[in-house]
Amino acid sequence: MSLRHGVEVNHSASIISGGLALVSGVIAVGASGFASVVALVFGALGLGGIAIGVFALDHRGVVTVGSFLIFLCVMISGIEGNMPGLLLVSMIGTILALDLGQNAVSVGRQMSTDTFTRRGEFVHAVATTVVGALVGGVAYGIYFVAEDGQPAPALVFLVLAALLLIWSFRT
Amino acid sequence: MNVSTLVRRVLVGGGVVAFGIAVMSIAGVGPALPAGGTAIALIGVVSMLMGLLSARSRLQSEQTETVTPDPELPPHTPPPGDEVDQQLYEMIELQHGMQENRDRIEERLEAAAIRIIRQRDDCSRVQAQVKLQEGNWTDNDVARDFFSDSSSGDGGGSIENLLGSSNESAEFKEQVEDVIDELARLGNMEFEGADKSAADSGGLLGRLRGGGDDDDDGPETQWNAETSSIDTFDVDEPFVDLDTHETNRWLGVTTFALLAVGLGVFVAQPGLVLAGSVAVGYTAYARATATPPTEHVEVEREFSDDAPNPGDEVQVTVTVRNTGPSILPDLRLIDIVPDPFIVTRGSPRLHTTLASGEADTFSYTVEVERGNHTWPLLCLARDFSGSVERESLVTPEDNLVCKPVLSARTGMPVRAQTTQYAGDVETSVGGSGLEFHSVREYRAGDPMNRINWKRYARTGEFATVDFRQEKAAKITLLFDTRERAYSAESPGKPHAVDLSVHAATDVFSSLYDAGNLVGVAAFDTVPCWLAPGAGSAHLERARELFAEHPALSAIPPSKANIEGTYIDPMTHVRRQLPSNSQVFLFTPLADDYASETARRLDSAGHLVTIVSPDTTSDKTVGQRLAHIERELRLAELRERGIRAIDWDPEDRLTLEIERAQTRWA
């Protein structure tokens, strides 16, 4: 019996989630990056980080750093006075980029590039997007309604209340 | 009241208070909020600080997810001589066990050198030892000094050994390499592809761990339970829950939330607070976890061939169904293909979502090996957010039985040790047969067709011709199945036990068809014995033995859960072996026990033929030493008149047997 030939197992990050992560990142940067040059620079670096983390290095940490840079881009554009609606969209895009980028690396590591992963990945991506859209929609709705004359601190306390209660779920 | 309860109560209290303040403020009742700029700014700063703190804790904690195995890959069995490489590795890289390992290696080299000197100069063992000490056995300085130094280097060298850095070990390794090359030269052995630069300790580790180096295009190998975070895949029940843990994937989002809200408050940009609330929403999403109900997963497997032979390709189709009431949003499935199998097409994995009642399938093609195989499906299930992961093993009832076919493809010459039954082996006893044996005086009652009529015509006297009687032989196929025998030349190649069993299933039938009585035995701690016999039931028993007996398994004893007690492996065999049985010993000759066994059997009156697959290699120091030792064993066995077939697995066994026959004739 001669050398046995088997398939090669490749654990590179999944292109589907990786591509979607990159698209989300582009949307995030697009909605916020125009506010200032600094924001754009951070945004571009963030996109680069995500692309490298997913397609080149298969490293979760690099993806996290990349999405954090995009987050900074959103923050800076917020400081510069960007529209709340666009900031909302950017935030959703940033978190999507983080989650889908990490999922790409995770799926690649646990499955392999030969595996059929389309269904699972799409469902995950859709779920995360829907959550973001719902929360964003509700928050914007409240903001819209509350904009007329309600003091900003109330909003802040509302948000902090939500956070504290959520933390109490699991310590 | 412990800390976590206290913390939780504080959080809930704080949350309720904050909520109350917010509601009252929106409704416009109650005391006015401290709407001063500094107070708000303070809240903002606190929030950002908390955000940074949470970032720090996120950096410190790790995301945990199950490390999965690669069942597609074939398993790894080390080549002979691997233990020497391990010892050298310990000495050079890990720097412990210096004296021990050094002594062991020196002992082995000394034994090999003495054998070579004995062979070359045809002297006794004592004389060879003397020659070794004196150093007049070779012109090579390094080799000479190595052995004459070894007795003097032990005493005063211990302190130096303590201080000795890896430099000394590296020097020792170089000396060992030179000595081995010199021994090989003296023994007229050649090493193909002897490449010293590849045998460095960096590549050593790679080879030891079973993968090729970067420039080695050998395949990757892995035992299923070795590199994954799961201990074992040997499970008895249909559903085994391994672990449920949090993956901590969403830790970063809390940081985003706190920073965004804090910054928004600080610079009075409500848009940022809004963005922060999205992040808060995601935090809730991550914490609203539910353990996925994988106990309702049903698995079915279909095989394209229900009774394959070893080496056949079988397509496996796996169908997974969710019979439970709720959805399984994130299912990652890996079919833990048994170690001896190799996946040749497709992927035994799937990533999918199953709503209640839904099913999904995936298929792959696998090259099978003998045995009765059941294997589990690894189920990694997550909830929608992916923050909880549950590992379980689901084992369906479908099993795959692969029995070898006893084909009469390879003819094997038999030695002259026979029974009283008629057969095909020519004996030195005269009687009826085909080949001329002798002429003797006529006795009344001799058959007429054996009278030498020509003699009668010449001299008028009767004489009877005797032919060589042909008798059946009793043959026991004996397998060396100790841990040592599970050695393969390089990763991805079949190991010696597999090679032996494949060869034996070829040889069994041809021996049997020639009218001999054939049996099977193995020496190991698990008794394996099938007495030489005949008949179709006997053949069926032999097939089952090859397929399912644990001693002849494709998996070495260290990886299988077999309880064996420590006794001399030949005990069972010696008790049962019939006194007039020949023995065909299948062994890689990886150590002296095998050749010792052959000698003892031969001396006890069981003529021995050895079929030895050559699984030695010559890429590293240890492998070369093992190669030399094996050649020496073969030479010594042949000197004693034991037939030995040195079989290179790349060639066909038939050819090697034909070559050997010319030697024996």
Side-chain angles (χ1 to χ4, degrees), chain A residues 4 99 110 119 128 170, chain B residues 249 282 287 340 349 358:
Chain A
R4 304 155 92 185
D99 180 46
Q110 289 188 324
R119 193 175 190 199
T128 315
R170 276 184 350 233
Chain B
R249 275 180 63 168
Y282 272 114
R287 292 192 173 226
R349 311 183 196 224
E358 243 191 319

Side-chain angles (χ1 to χ4, degrees), chain A residues 43-102:
Chain A
L45 285 176
L47 283 178
I50 292 191
I52 292 176
V54 170
F55 296 111
L57 294 177
D58 302 322
H59 196 287
R60 247 197 301 255
V62 177
V63 171
T64 313
V65 166
S67 57
F68 188 71
L69 288 173
I70 299 183
F71 172 75
L72 288 181
C73 161
V74 177
M75 292 296 104
I76 292 172
S77 107
I79 295 174
E80 304 283 344
N82 198 356
M83 284 173 49
L86 284 179
L87 284 175
L88 206 62
V89 169
S90 290
M91 197 64 191
I92 298 176
T94 312
I95 295 181
L96 262 180
L98 174 64
D99 180 46
L100 294 180
Q102 287 184 345

Side-chain angles (χ1 to χ4, degrees), chain B residues 414-437 450 466-474 513-516 582:
Chain B
V414 163
R415 295 191 71 175
Q417 180 177 19
T418 56
T419 61
Q420 72 268 38
Y421 304 109
D424 262 356
V425 183
E426 296 195 359
T427 61
S428 47
V429 177
S432 64
L434 294 173
E435 196 181 310
F436 175 79
H437 180 256
R450 281 185 25 212
D466 268 344
F467 297 94
R468 295 178 73 179
Q469 279 191 359
E470 290 176 343
K471 294 289 186 192
K474 237 185 224 179
D513 288 345
N516 300 302
Q582 307 188 20

Side-chain angles (χ1 to χ4, degrees), chain A residues 1-9 11 60 64 67-68 71 74-76 78-85 87-88 91-92 94-96 98-100 102-103 105-107 109-112 114-121 123-124 127-133 135-136 139-140 143 150-171, chain B residues 4 7-8 11-12 14-15 18-19 21-22 25-26 33 40 43 50 58 63 65-66 68 70 72-73 246 249-250 253-254 256 258-261 263 265 269-275 277-287 289 311 329-330 332-334 340 342-347 349-354 358 360 367 380 382 384-385 389 491-494 502 649:
Chain A
M1 217 189 231
S2 56
L3 191 64
R4 304 155 92 185
H5 298 280
V7 293
E8 270 183 32
V9 186
H11 286 297
R60 247 197 301 255
T64 313
S67 57
F68 188 71
F71 172 75
V74 177
M75 292 296 104
I76 292 172
I79 295 174
E80 304 283 344
N82 198 356
M83 284 173 49
L87 284 175
L88 206 62
M91 197 64 191
I92 298 176
T94 312
I95 295 181
L96 262 180
L98 174 64
D99 180 46
L100 294 180
Q102 287 184 345
N103 200 33
V105 174
S106 164
V107 166
R109 210 170 281 182
Q110 289 188 324
M111 304 280 102
S112 73
D114 285 326
T115 312
F116 185 79
T117 53
R118 209 184 309 156
R119 193 175 190 199
E121 288 188 69
V123 168
H124 181 95
T128 315
T129 314
V130 162
V131 166
V135 175
Y140 196 71
Y143 168 75
Q150 303 305 326
L155 208 62
V156 175
F157 273 102
L158 210 55
V159 171
L160 286 178
L163 199 60
L164 288 171
L165 287 171
I166 288 165
W167 276 354
S168 71
F169 283 178
R170 276 184 350 233
T171 323
Chain B
S4 64
V7 171
R8 182 180 293 160
L11 286 174
V12 172
F19 189 66
I21 295 176
S25 167
I26 290 176
L33 277 175
I40 299 298
I43 296 175
M50 288 179 66
R58 155 110 189 68
Q63 284 199 18
E65 58 175 32
T66 315
T68 54
D70 287 336
E72 297 94 332
L73 302 175
E246 289 164 28
R249 275 180 63 168
W250 291 95
V253 176
T254 316
F256 287 5
L258 288 166
L259 284 177
V261 169
L263 195 61
V265 165
Q269 287 286 358
L272 280 176
V273 177
L274 209 58
S277 66
V278 168
V280 169
Y282 272 114
T283 316
Y285 174 54
R287 292 192 173 226
T289 58
D330 187 325
R332 301 178 189 195
L333 308 163
I334 304 183
I342 302 181
V343 174
T344 52
R345 240 190 341 265
S347 171
R349 311 183 196 224
L350 181 66
H351 178 42
T352 186
T353 308
L354 291 179
E358 243 191 319
D360 206 348
E367 193 184 288
L380 299 172
R382 301 182 182 208
F384 268 111
S385 66
E389 188 178 37
K493 291 202 176 163
H502 293 141

